[in-house]
Amino acid sequence: MYPTTEETALWMALNRAQDSLYSAMDSVLKAEGLPRLRWYDALWAIECAGGPGLRPFELEKGLIFEQSNLSRLLRRMIQDGLVEESVFESDRRGRLLRITKKGRRVRKKMWTIYGPMIHAHMNKLSKSHDLAKITSALTALIQRQE
């Protein structure tokens, strides 16, 4: 069975909206001398993990953005002093990631741009659509895939 015209239109709109919004946000972050939005996503997930840190495979599961080059991204974040890496005690081959003070500062600075942009775009959408219903429908779609 093939998608209906409406299903295809929704699929295309979701993908175009995602590309357009990410691109716009990345452009503003870049203009401010900040890393790309994918960096925010990784920094936020590591920061939320708290004290003991997060293993790279756990990080990958929780990311919003596709991270095909996660190890390269992490190496760069470690080089830039935003994330620190240590050995996972119970498995000496494993690594733990923790956000540094500098990483927190950069993530917070990024949020001063990213947060208001989310609000601006979602606020436009909420004027004509019920965001709770859209969120519920998309969340249900995601949960069916997991």
Side-chain angles (χ1 to χ4, degrees):
M1 180 173 236
Y2 293 98
T4 65
T5 301
E6 293 82 12
E7 290 167 342
T8 302
L10 175 58
W11 177 256
M12 291 174 66
L14 284 170
N15 282 283
R16 286 181 178 149
Q18 178 187 27
D19 283 349
S20 174
L21 294 175
Y22 290 174
S23 180
M25 291 177 181
D26 268 343
S27 293
V28 175
L29 289 168
K30 183 179 179 180
E32 293 294 321
L34 293 166
R36 297 189 65 188
L37 204 47
R38 285 179 169 85
W39 287 50
Y40 181 90
D41 187 29
L43 288 170
W44 180 241
I46 295 168
E47 186 173 340
C48 287
L54 192 65
R55 295 186 67 181
F57 76 89
E58 294 169 320
L59 173 61
E60 192 169 11
K61 288 181 189 175
L63 295 177
I64 295 171
F65 301 105
E66 182 182 331
Q67 292 295 342
S68 57
N69 296 314
L70 182 59
S71 56
R72 189 177 326 155
L73 174 75
L74 289 172
R75 276 195 309 274
R76 181 74 193 278
M77 293 173 114
I78 291 165
Q79 254 179 349
D80 289 356
L82 305 178
V83 171
E84 61 185 16
E85 180 180 57
S86 61
V87 174
F88 187 62
E89 288 304 319
S90 65
D91 174 3
R92 307 288 296 164
R93 294 171 296 155
R95 301 175 298 150
L96 276 176
L97 305 167
R98 284 185 208 76
I99 192 168
T100 64
K101 287 180 183 179
K102 180 180 178 183
R104 278 189 187 84
R105 282 193 308 270
V106 168
R107 197 226 22 103
K108 286 177 182 176
K109 175 78 172 153
M110 292 175 79
W111 183 246
T112 66
I113 295 166
Y114 182 32
M117 288 187 79
I118 291 172
H119 174 69
H121 292 294
M122 295 304 105
N123 190 38
K124 286 180 199 172
L125 188 62
S126 71
K127 291 181 189 225
S128 57
H129 298 82
D130 183 337
L131 294 186
K133 286 182 181 177
I134 294 170
T135 302
S136 178
L138 292 173
T139 301
L141 181 64
I142 293 164
Q143 288 171 344
R144 286 187 203 121
Q145 301 305 313
E146 292 177 344

